[in-house]
Amino acid sequence: MVRRVPPGDSLPRWVCDQCGTVHYQNPLLVLGTIPEHGGKLLLCRRAIEPRYGYWTLPAGFMENDETAGQAALRETLEEAGARVELGAPFSMISVPRVNQVHVFYRARLLDLELKPGDETLEVAMFDEAAIPWKEIAFRTVGTTLRRWFEDRARGSFGFHAEDIGA
Amino acid sequence: MVRRVPPGDSLPRWVCDQCGTVHYQNPLLVLGTIPEHGGKLLLCRRAIEPRYGYWTLPAGFMENDETAGQAALRETLEEAGARVELGAPFSMISVPRVNQVHVFYRARLLDLELKPGDETLEVAMFDEAAIPWKEIAFRTVGTTLRRWFEDRARGSFGFHAEDIGA
């Protein structure tokens, strides 16, 4: 594999020197939810690196053959065993340092039968005062949680587009 | 390259049988703008396949090392020579058939000095009555344009998350 600008392109790409195949590398979408029940939010404690032991909203890489909403539902089920009714998209946060865009949907937990998946140590519900702010795994999650509580206090939920470390 | 489920994963991936490298394939983000000036919208007529000769909003694949907003601005400049002030995200449309998510931002054209890029035959401004609805290149663009005119008629612009062909 060599780094060069393919014909008709404007940026250097990884190209196979044997067969000429261009291996494009583009930002990845991370999809998740903000599951709410009785005014509390669901968080997952990570059982994997990076940020083992820290708390996060259920989220993960969007896969081929699914919509953004389906990805958010799938990750919520996989990581927390949680069944939710999906609401509107709430935040879209670019993280160019790691070439990711994180999108979180509002969501209403359908019941409290939760079950940590393989990548989760435990699942718990937190009201605003109990959120473990110093043990949040990622800045996109911390930002999303802060915006969610701000919007709830205002009585109106918006859509928040932000950048981190741009 | 062989198709198999890597250790710790749950889906089959393309794996190099020689070195074990996993080549993940995930949905791509397409970023664009809805450039407005004096009540008219900017459209570009495509000089490339697919949909050569059809009209589209300026948009293209988000690259590594940029934010969603930077990608939208870059594509608008590359395809239409247009300098815009970026507004809020307006639409996010999943197209699982082609493994893409299209995001369009509202935008205000800063001047009318437009210049078609290499991938564009011509750039023109259209009021609602003149939009070439039957010659729009992509359904995500048609949907975004319809929602934009609906929101303008209502006097309030929202954020629209949709799926096409899911």
Side-chain angles (χ1 to χ4, degrees), chain A residues 139-154:
Chain A
R139 287 172 66 188
T140 56
V141 172
T143 296
T144 296
L145 292 172
R146 276 196 305 278
R147 297 282 173 270
W148 194 93
F149 287 114
E150 287 165 5
D151 279 15
R152 186 179 67 172
R154 244 203 351 247

Side-chain angles (χ1 to χ4, degrees), chain A residues 1 8-11 13 23 25-29 31 61-70 78 89 92 94-97 99-101 103 105 119 159 161 163-164 166, chain B residues 1 8-11 13 23 25-29 31 61-70 78 89 92 94-97 99-101 103 105 119 159 161 163-164 166:
Chain A
M1 298 278 272
D9 204 337
S10 56
L11 288 173
R13 314 287 180 180
H23 293 268
Q25 293 181 307
N26 293 83
L28 289 171
L29 273 161
L31 266 292
F61 292 113
M62 184 174 169
E63 299 278 2
N64 279 356
D65 303 317
E66 65 185 358
T67 65
Q70 287 167 345
E78 283 179 9
M92 179 177 76
S94 295
V95 196
R97 192 177 55 80
N99 299 313
Q100 295 178 1
V101 177
V103 174
Y105 281 76
E119 302 183 355
F159 178 73
D163 305 324
I164 282 183
Chain B
M1 297 278 272
D9 204 335
S10 56
L11 288 173
R13 312 287 181 181
H23 294 268
Q25 293 181 308
N26 293 84
L28 290 172
L29 273 162
L31 265 292
F61 291 114
M62 183 173 168
E63 300 278 0
N64 279 355
D65 303 316
E66 65 185 358
T67 66
Q70 286 167 346
E78 284 179 10
M92 180 178 75
S94 294
V95 195
R97 191 176 57 79
N99 298 312
Q100 295 178 1
V101 177
V103 174
Y105 282 75
E119 302 182 356
F159 178 73
D163 305 324
I164 283 183

